[in-house]
Amino acid sequence: MSQRHMRLSGLVSAACALQSCMSVNTYSLDKCDKFVKAFYLCCDEMYKKGGKDCSLSACSMHSAVERWLKRHADVDP
């Protein structure tokens, strides 16, 4: 399995977990912080390993991901 495929697999898993949490909690982000953080951590890793030209429509811009992670440093994934 390629590195890219493994990263995308991690993103898909994180996105599915986030979607499940959001569905169960009537789309309340505050109840799903740990899943949002796990998803953003996957996006951040993708950006760091893929370089500045790396992108995926599911992930926010890298600067937005970094900003969110900095603001939510206290959230345990």
Side-chain angles (χ1 to χ4, degrees):
M1 187 179 295
S2 72
Q3 288 290 339
R4 183 175 190 276
H5 187 268
M6 288 172 51
R7 283 194 303 269
L8 288 177
S9 177
L11 276 167
V12 169
S13 295
C16 288
L18 174 56
Q19 181 61 41
S20 293
C21 180
M22 296 290 284
S23 293
V24 168
N25 291 293
T26 320
Y27 294 88
S28 291
L29 268 177
D30 59 321
K31 294 181 180 178
C32 299
D33 270 351
K34 70 179 187 176
F35 297 101
V36 175
K37 184 165 187 178
F39 179 74
Y40 276 163
L41 286 170
C42 286
C43 290
D44 189 49
E45 180 182 345
M46 177 196 71
Y47 284 124
K48 286 178 179 173
K49 289 184 178 179
K52 64 181 178 185
D53 295 328
C54 186
S55 70
L56 187 65
S57 61
C59 293
S60 299
M61 293 172 32
H62 193 207
S63 59
V65 170
E66 290 177 319
R67 191 170 43 252
W68 191 95
L69 289 170
K70 185 182 268 189
R71 288 183 184 156
H72 296 86
D74 60 329
V75 176
D76 291 325

